Amino acid sequence: MASNILTRLTRKDLFRNQGYIDGAWVDAASGKRFDVYDPATLDNITTVPEMDAEDTVKAIESASAAFKTYKQTTARQRARWLRKWSDLCLEHTADLALVLCHENGKTLAEANGEVAYAASFLEWFAGEAERTYGEVVPSSNSKQRILTFKQPLGVAACMAPWNFPIAMITRKCGAALAAGCTTVWKPAGETPLSCLALAVLAQEAGFPKGCINIVTTLDLVAQVGKALCSHKAVRKLSFTGSTRVGKLLANQCSANLTKLSLELGGNSPFIVFDDANLDKAIEAFTMAKFRNSGQTCVTANRVFVQSRVYDQFAQALVKKVKTLKVGAGTEPDVFIGPLTHERAVAKAMSHVEDAKAQGGQVILGGAPLTGYNGYFIQPTVIRDMSTKMLMTREETFAPVVGLYRFETVDEVISLANDCDVGLGSFICTESTSRMWRVAEALDVGMVGVNVGVLSACESPFGGVKESGYGREGGRHGIDEYLIVKSMLINVSD
Ligand SMILES: NC(=O)c1ccc[n+]([C@@H]2O[C@H](COP(=O)([O-])OP(=O)(O)OC[C@H]3O[C@@H](n4cnc5c(N)ncnc54)[C@H](O)[C@@H]3O)[C@@H](O)[C@H]2O)c1
Ligand SMILES: O=CCCC(=O)O
């Protein structure tokens, strides 16, 4: 399979199957390796090193040594490296997208989009690098002056999920490197290859040795995670993934009080009011639900439709979903690819079975997709959902839609907020006052209004409650990697 991808890459050197430590491509000290699969075919793409705590410490030590000089570089220089890296990513979009498509399963169109999205964070933080201003603070003591300035925290660990393997890395390390931090990346075991390709381009952009290190692991992820959390040189850890793992990492980081950003699970409400433009709502919903086969942290999970338009929305949705082609991401016109791993299929099917058992009516799909080796399920629409069902509490993370009916604005606000997590949310309405009222009342970090995608490098991304804390992207993203130092100056003579 590797040769299949290799023959199609313009830049063959972007295909790497070793870790990257201290500017060198390396194997695990133990010599162990693990398989990377294509979720559409279950073909083995290649093997990569199964790194452990010992390898992780080497990566941290490299980043720590590099920090001594990298923190002295000017913001202008760091911005130039980031801009060049962004340009290189865009120049090699086709190659990066092909690797992404095969390891994650997303369609080529979406993979192209992810490369542009990933590059946008590098460009954005190139700009932000030069805007980490301090301030002069009016002092209450006439004999003193006070000012603040910002400095990089130190080594930053960037732990990315498998659903957006490179965009989540650049959202973290773009900010870290712009701030003057050096980094250790831990890609998800399912999707290490696009991250490794990204590092080739970072090297080419000119980042000094040790600024970027990559530890690949699958079965030893707990060991690697613990090493990153417990090493005193790591002063910042940023993780995107499940709430379960986020809580574990927060516990592990408490020993050194390592600063954390956690972008964890969501359970986004998608609310369709009866004054909404239904055509626009269906278009927005199609993106909010089916982008990346339903595997985004902000995917629409609980779909609340106001009673008067409930049946009309359900019918229009089924009609629309029937037009969405399912298949391998490399096939033309495919809109929905496979799920990225086997446990995702099991979880989605358990949600469907639970809804059926409790009175939900499956009006489209409802089963795994036959005729494929990979992890495919039929796009599914279920109506007459009730709040007792599993899908109400848990993120399904698959192309499965559950439609809930509501009557009033107060009722839907209370339903939407009855949830342990609060990341994304979507509302469809033509009323400006309703938009403000609901947006302000929702317990979430992000609200989309008549749109299906919340992602933009310039917009802060993050959640509340058990969706985690910290903001990525936007003008706040770089602050997560900086300390504010204050200086009080005696001016008495
Ligand atoms: N916020 C997101 O973007 C996002 C991404 C992936 C998964 N999820 C959520 O998580 C659910 C389950 O997905 P999963 O089965 O991959 O989740 P998981 O909890 O097994 O793993 C999530 C991530 O954490 C890493 N990880 C696992 N154990 C770790 C440890 N001990 N230390 C450090 N890192 C560790 C894994 O490599 C993976 O990248 C999904 O259905 C979805 O709800 C959310
Ligand atoms: O799934 C997590 C991130 C999704 C996004 O940034 O659009």
Side-chain angles (χ1 to χ4, degrees), residues 117 121 161 163-164 168 171 240 263 291 295-298 397 453-455 461:
Y117 187 39
F121 287 111
N163 57 347
F164 288 88
M168 296 304 98
R171 186 150 85 182
T240 298
E263 200 264 88
R291 186 166 72 104
Q295 304 174 110
T296 77
C297 51
V298 288
F397 235 55
V453 179
L454 294 166
S455 326
F461 201 101

Side-chain angles (χ1 to χ4, degrees), residues 48-294:
V48 296
E50 181 75 83
M51 292 180 152
D52 60 14
E54 186 187 337
D55 301 298
T56 309
V57 169
K58 284 185 200 157
I60 297 168
E61 285 171 352
S62 162
S64 184
F67 181 63
K68 293 191 177 72
T69 46
Y70 187 69
K71 69 180 176 188
Q72 312 282 6
T73 56
T74 63
R76 177 71 50 94
Q77 176 59 70
R78 299 196 293 272
R80 284 195 183 121
W81 285 324
L82 283 164
R83 247 179 232 112
K84 180 147 188 226
W85 189 15
S86 172
D87 290 344
L88 284 167
C89 290
L90 293 175
E91 187 183 332
H92 300 292
T93 295
D95 284 348
L96 291 172
L98 188 71
V99 175
L100 265 177
C101 174
H102 279 288
E103 68 176 355
N104 165 280
K106 62 181 65 192
T107 66
L108 266 183
E110 286 203 48
N112 278 298
E114 183 175 344
V115 178
Y117 187 39
S120 76
F121 287 111
L122 302 177
E123 191 175 4
W124 171 260
F125 284 116
E128 289 302 288
E130 299 203 69
R131 285 177 244 304
T132 57
Y133 306 130
E135 52 193 2
V136 177
V137 182
S139 172
S140 60
N141 180 338
S142 63
K143 303 279 190 296
Q144 284 188 352
R145 297 293 178 269
I146 303 174
L147 55 84
T148 69
F149 54 96
K150 295 183 181 176
Q151 290 184 301
L153 268 164
V155 175
C158 305
M159 303 172 81
W162 42 262
N163 57 347
F164 288 88
I166 58 168
M168 296 304 98
I169 276 290
T170 59
R171 186 150 85 182
K172 298 174 193 309
C173 80
L177 292 164
C181 295
T182 52
T183 61
V184 177
W185 308 354
K186 203 287 291 165
E190 291 83 355
T191 54
L193 303 177
S194 50
C195 273
L196 296 171
L198 205 62
V200 175
L201 298 176
Q203 198 178 22
E204 202 166 314
F207 283 100
K209 183 176 90 162
C211 288
I212 291 170
N213 299 274
I214 308 182
V215 178
T216 54
T217 186
L218 181 70
D219 292 334
L220 299 181
V221 67
Q223 199 184 116
V224 168
K226 198 161 182 195
L228 288 168
C229 292
S230 57
H231 199 295
K232 283 193 180 294
V234 177
R235 296 312 314 148
K236 168 77 196 183
L237 190 139
S238 177
F239 171 75
T240 298
S242 66
T243 295
R244 177 185 75 81
V245 174
K247 287 181 179 177
L248 181 84
L249 297 175
N251 254 319
Q252 291 176 353
C253 281
S254 67
N256 296 335
L257 294 181
T258 307
K259 189 173 173 182
L260 269 171
S261 296
L262 296 173
E263 200 264 88
L264 309 175
N267 187 346
S268 299
F270 190 102
I271 306 173
V272 183
F273 287 101
D274 60 11
D275 64 63
N277 174 323
L278 285 194
D279 291 337
K280 268 202 255 171
I282 292 283
E283 282 314 307
F285 181 74
T286 302
M287 290 309 291
K289 179 74 233 182
F290 296 105
R291 186 166 72 104
N292 206 20
S293 303

